[in-house]
Structures are given as structure tokens and as C-alpha cells.
Amino acid sequence: MGGALDPVVATGRNLVRHALDDLGPAARIVIGVSGGADSLALAAVTAFVADRAALDVEAVVVDHQLQPRSAEVAEVAVKQLAGIGLPARVVRVEVGADGGPEGAARTARLGALWATGADAVLLAHTLDDQAETVLLGLGRGSGPRSIAGMSAHDGLWRRPFLRLRRADTEHICRVHGLTWWTDPHNSDPAFRRSRLRAEVMPLLEDVLGGGVAEALARTAEQVRHDGLVLDALAAEVAAPHDVDTLAALPVAVRSRVLRLAALAAGAESLTATHVSELDRLVTDWRGQRRVELPGGVSATRTGASLSFADTPVKR
């Protein structure tokens, strides 16, 4: 193959080793593959690491069935992976409508990978993906949790390539003789992330003199570390429904306590706006009847106490 001494390939292998170093030989590992350069490169370096460490690794090629040639793309990916000695199979998913096209596809994809029953699932997000995620969070005003971007290790999900650029994954594919598929959605201006990739990032690199993607990724890492400390402080609050206790907390901790309490009650997909409205029940209560939250949950204040319950059905 000629890639053993290639520095980019070596870096990719080391990143995968580090991502898996807490797993024993009996662990089952799945790699999410799309047929694009990022996931094929991840599969290639993981195949090498798995072979040396005798790990149980399988690639799952998720076919979203959103484009006419999707089945062909998936089969080509499986054949290429077989050529480098990596077991692979295709899983076809039905993409719904909730969350928009990108969100619905992501939900279907992660659901399919979750259903494999793996001990760890490797995802091929790169530093470029991280930078775009941070920019999207900034543009939406979604708060530090969104700006923190993606974590390299988030339970089942592991993202070894968050320190690699897209150009690096393409290089790894070339070294391994792999031909990747370029998703036309990635250059479709109808998708916000695609415009960020094609228009905004190049402009920022030009105006700011380069290094923007790396700077955004560093920012995400710093915010994420700070967030972990604040989350830990929030989890230690003994009376998360008591208004006096909540009012005495710093805003950064109180918002996290409120978020945790809402999630524990069954709320889903909370945004900064939802948490802000919960905060008003504590700091600016003027008799608001309730705050309705996604997931069919509502929050109310009675005297000096907050409570969460199922949202009443409107008749």
C-alpha cells in the first residue's frame, strides 16, 4: 500500500488508537460510513489498527435513499472496504421530516448505528465539520452548549478525526487507493452548512489571514471544558426546584440546573430560548401561567417552587 510511513496516515492511525484505548479485545466497534472521503479514510486507518490489535470491527454503510444512485454508492463503498479487509454491510433507512432535511437524515443515520448494538461507534467528523458546527451555533445564538461543538468521546459516539482536515482524509484515501463519493448536497446552496463551507469559511480565511477553522475548533474545545465544570456544579445542586436556591446561583450554573430539571421531567431538544423562559420563572416571575417545552412538558411556578408536568392537552 505504501502508506505505513505516510505522516498523515500515521496520525490517523494514532488518533483511532487513542479513541479506542479504553476498550478491550472483546468490544464490538462499528464505523459509520457514507462513501465519502472522511468516512472511507476513517475505515481505512481503523482497519489497520483493528488488525494489529485483533479488535472486532465492522463498517456499516448507511443508505439514506435520498438520491437516485444511493444504493449503488453504498455497494461501491462496501466493495472497496472489503478490498482492504474490512467487513462491511449496507443498512437502508427511512428519513422522516422532523428537524429539516439535514436533521432528519442525521436522526435516521444515528438511529441505525445505535441499533447495531456496538460498544463504540466511530464517526468521521473532521476539524472542518467542527468549525462549521461552531459557526452555526454562533449564528443561531444557541449558547455555549452549541458553540462547544462536537465531543471526541460522547458515550457511544467517538470522533477520532476532529483534529484532521478534510484534505487529510482525501489524502488518506489516495494512499489506500480508495475512490470516494462526493455528495451533491455538500455543494447545494439550499443547505446552510453547504453555504458556510463554500462561501463563508473561504471568506473568513481570506479576511482573517488563515487558520480560522483551527481557531474555531480550539474555541469549541475551550468552551466544552468550561461547560463540563459548570455541568458538574449544576448536578450538585440539592434543591433544583426551589426558587430561592435557584435565584442565588450564578446565571451560568442556574441555567444548567433548569435544563437538567426539564430534561429529567421528559423535555426534549431544549434551546437557549426555552431555558431563558424557565429562568424568567425564577428571576422575573409576574404570574406567568406556565412555560411549555418540547416533548410535551410544561413548567409552572407555585410560590417558591417550580414543578414540571405533562402539558395539558388542548381541547
Side-chain angles (χ1 to χ4, degrees):
M1 176 186 69
L5 299 178
D6 184 278
V8 178
V9 173
T11 297
R13 291 173 179 173
N14 287 333
L15 290 171
V16 169
R17 287 192 187 98
H18 178 69
L20 301 178
D21 62 6
D22 64 321
L23 297 175
R28 183 162 177 268
I29 301 159
V30 164
I31 310 164
V33 176
S34 67
D38 299 344
S39 58
L40 285 177
L42 177 61
V45 297
T46 304
F48 179 89
V49 171
D51 181 63
R52 297 303 186 275
L55 298 174
D56 179 10
V57 176
E58 175 191 35
V60 171
V61 183
V62 179
D63 177 7
H64 299 87
Q65 304 185 86
L66 295 176
Q67 300 184 45
R69 296 180 54 245
S70 65
E72 179 184 342
V73 169
E75 292 300 335
V76 168
V78 167
K79 290 179 181 178
Q80 291 198 88
L81 295 173
I84 60 173
L86 184 66
R89 61 188 172 93
V90 177
V91 173
R92 292 180 173 82
V93 296
E94 296 290 338
V95 177
D98 291 345
E102 293 174 281
R106 180 172 57 253
T107 297
R109 177 170 62 254
L110 295 182
L113 294 171
W114 180 279
T116 61
D119 296 297
V121 175
L122 302 187
L123 304 175
H125 297 107
T126 65
L127 186 147
D128 297 87
D129 295 311
Q130 183 76 298
E132 292 159 9
T133 298
V134 174
L135 276 180
L136 285 168
L138 285 169
R140 292 168 178 158
S142 302
R145 193 173 300 277
S146 179
I147 297 169
M150 298 174 284
S151 174
H153 187 169
D154 182 15
L156 177 70
W157 316 110
R158 306 195 180 197
R159 302 176 176 89
F161 277 6
L162 286 180
R163 296 185 183 276
L164 289 185
R165 302 296 303 268
R166 270 193 202 104
D168 295 327
T169 65
E170 293 177 358
H171 177 82
I172 291 172
C173 285
R174 292 189 189 98
V175 169
H176 288 81
L178 298 172
T179 302
W180 64 89
W181 172 68
T182 301
D183 187 346
H185 285 169
N186 290 339
S187 56
D188 186 342
F191 298 100
R192 185 175 288 113
R193 185 180 286 270
S194 299
R195 294 196 66 187
L196 276 179
R197 185 174 303 171
E199 303 174 33
V200 177
M201 285 300 296
L203 179 61
L204 286 174
E205 293 281 353
D206 179 49
V207 172
L208 298 178
V212 172
E214 291 86 352
L216 289 168
R218 286 196 302 273
T219 298
E221 187 171 16
Q222 292 164 7
V223 172
R224 187 163 53 255
H225 289 322
D226 290 349
L228 289 173
V229 174
L230 293 169
D231 286 344
L233 292 173
E236 294 175 357
V237 174
H241 296 160
D242 179 71
V243 169
D244 292 335
T245 299
L246 291 167
L249 295 172
V251 175
V253 177
R254 182 170 65 242
S255 64
R256 285 167 167 79
V257 174
L258 290 168
R259 181 176 182 275
L260 287 173
L263 291 174
E268 302 172 353
S269 304
L270 293 175
T271 67
T273 300
H274 295 128
V275 176
S276 178
E277 287 302 305
L278 291 175
D279 192 73
R280 289 186 62 236
L281 291 178
V282 176
T283 62
D284 188 28
W285 187 50
R286 300 182 182 183
Q288 298 97 309
R289 184 178 178 187
R290 65 172 178 264
V291 174
E292 296 188 5
L293 304 170
V297 173
S298 61
T300 57
R301 172 172 170 171
T302 304
S305 179
L306 297 184
S307 60
F308 295 85
D310 293 341
T311 300
V313 177
K314 296 179 180 179
R315 298 184 182 277

